[in-house]
Amino acid sequence: MRVFALTGAGVSAESGLSTFRDAGGAWTRLDFRDVATPEGFARDPERVHAFYNARRANLAKVEPNAAHRALGALQQELGVRGGRLYLCTQNVDELHERGGAAEVVHMHGELRRVRCQACGWADLWSGDLSTAITCPRCGRAGGLRPDVVWFGETPLFMEEIWEAVAGSDLFVAIGTSGAVYPAAGLVEVARRARVRTCEINLQPSDNAERFDERLYGPATEVVPAWVARLLA
Ligand code: OAD
């Protein structure tokens, strides 16, 4: 069986990482235009660095939860059985990897990576970023930015992702509000390819009616139970 899983902030919520649009979420406290757009970065780079520095530092304090671990186990087990779990996440944390997934496609980039806007150099980065830090390759200061996708930028690996959705037997969206495209449009790609669709979320998402099956409750409970049923 070939499964495509799209995950969002809800899968990491019970690890202690806040979501974006729920009560208390990042976009209820902050204007995303200030901290998650190229224009916001050009206007006030230190403010943007502070937002991502805090989130990067917070990663050291959180652990993967039962939903991450169940998806890691599903990827391993489907591989053994000659199938596949294509695990595609909008999350910039690395909790899927720490939960045992060997292959994760980060369509919105990764907090633990850095990129130089001046020369394109990119690598892992664990400390804070600031405009004073120089690029290890080109030596310029001010060009380093988190290697994440901001609003107005194109998400990564889209051709490969569309192909993987269409080539699956089952598409499952987990812990995502369905508010941000192109991720929110993947369920339509699945439907057009006659792939069965399933939504797992705390409550019906913006796209709920597009799914054949809908399972509601905390990801740490619903995902392990769903994985167990799938593998039974
Ligand atoms: P959202 O904050 O929009 O949605 C989180 C979803 O998770 C909501 O539908 C919640 O109901 C659900 N949820 C919350 N807690 C849950 C739990 N314990 N178990 C299951 N579900 C739970 O986050 P995303 O959909 O991931 O992009 O947001 C998509 C993108 O918008 C993000 O990647 C980010 C953001 O702006 C960028 O920054 C470019």
Side-chain angles (χ1 to χ4, degrees):
M1 181 191 272
R2 291 158 306 166
V3 179
F4 185 106
L6 169 70
T7 67
V11 81
S12 296
E14 290 164 86
S15 290
L17 297 179
S18 73
T19 63
F20 297 96
R21 295 171 183 81
D22 296 310
W27 302 156
T28 67
R29 291 178 278 117
L30 289 163
D31 188 332
F32 74 87
R33 286 167 295 199
D34 290 334
V35 293
T37 62
E39 295 77 16
F41 187 60
R43 228 175 14 248
D44 191 348
E46 289 302 357
R47 179 175 185 175
V48 175
H49 282 315
F51 176 65
Y52 288 96
N53 286 345
R55 292 177 65 194
R56 193 181 303 105
N58 200 32
L59 288 182
K61 300 178 195 148
V62 299
E63 296 295 334
N65 64 46
H68 298 111
R69 288 194 296 273
L71 289 168
L74 179 65
Q75 189 174 65
Q76 254 179 8
E77 186 55 28
L78 286 179
V80 168
R81 296 184 190 187
R84 166 190 89 182
L85 170 65
Y86 189 101
L87 184 49
C88 175
T89 188
Q90 297 166 85
N91 299 344
V92 293
D93 65 56
E94 77 274 14
L95 293 180
H96 281 308
E97 287 88 341
R98 284 162 53 192
E103 284 181 57
V104 184
V105 175
H106 285 269
M107 66 183 294
H108 290 169
E110 292 182 71
L111 261 181
R112 61 178 177 172
R113 294 188 64 83
V114 66
R115 185 167 91 235
C116 176
Q117 294 204 130
C119 75
W121 173 82
D123 207 343
L124 292 171
W125 192 272
S126 56
D128 282 353
L129 282 173
S130 81
T131 52
I133 300 175
T134 53
C135 169
R137 184 160 81 186
C138 71
R140 269 177 271 191
L144 295 185
R145 58 165 278 183
D147 198 8
V148 301
V149 175
W150 286 327
F151 288 96
E153 298 180 324
T154 309
L156 310 171
F157 316 113
M158 285 315 299
E159 293 292 332
E160 178 192 307
I161 289 169
W162 283 319
E163 208 174 292
V165 171
S168 296
D169 304 304
L170 173 64
F171 172 87
V172 59
I174 303 170
T176 178
S177 61
V180 174
Y181 286 80
L186 293 180
V187 63
E188 281 309 321
V189 176
R191 288 172 65 90
R192 276 201 300 276
R194 300 189 185 284
V195 175
R196 192 171 162 73
T197 56
C198 173
E199 160 163 288
I200 298 177
N201 208 22
L202 206 49
Q203 63 209 24
S205 73
D206 294 358
N207 281 335
E209 79 288 351
R210 311 306 293 154
F211 291 86
D212 302 314
E213 187 183 5
R214 302 163 209 178
L215 304 169
Y216 297 117
T220 55
E221 291 173 21
V222 181
V223 174
W226 170 78
V227 166
R229 267 205 318 279
L230 206 63
L231 291 176

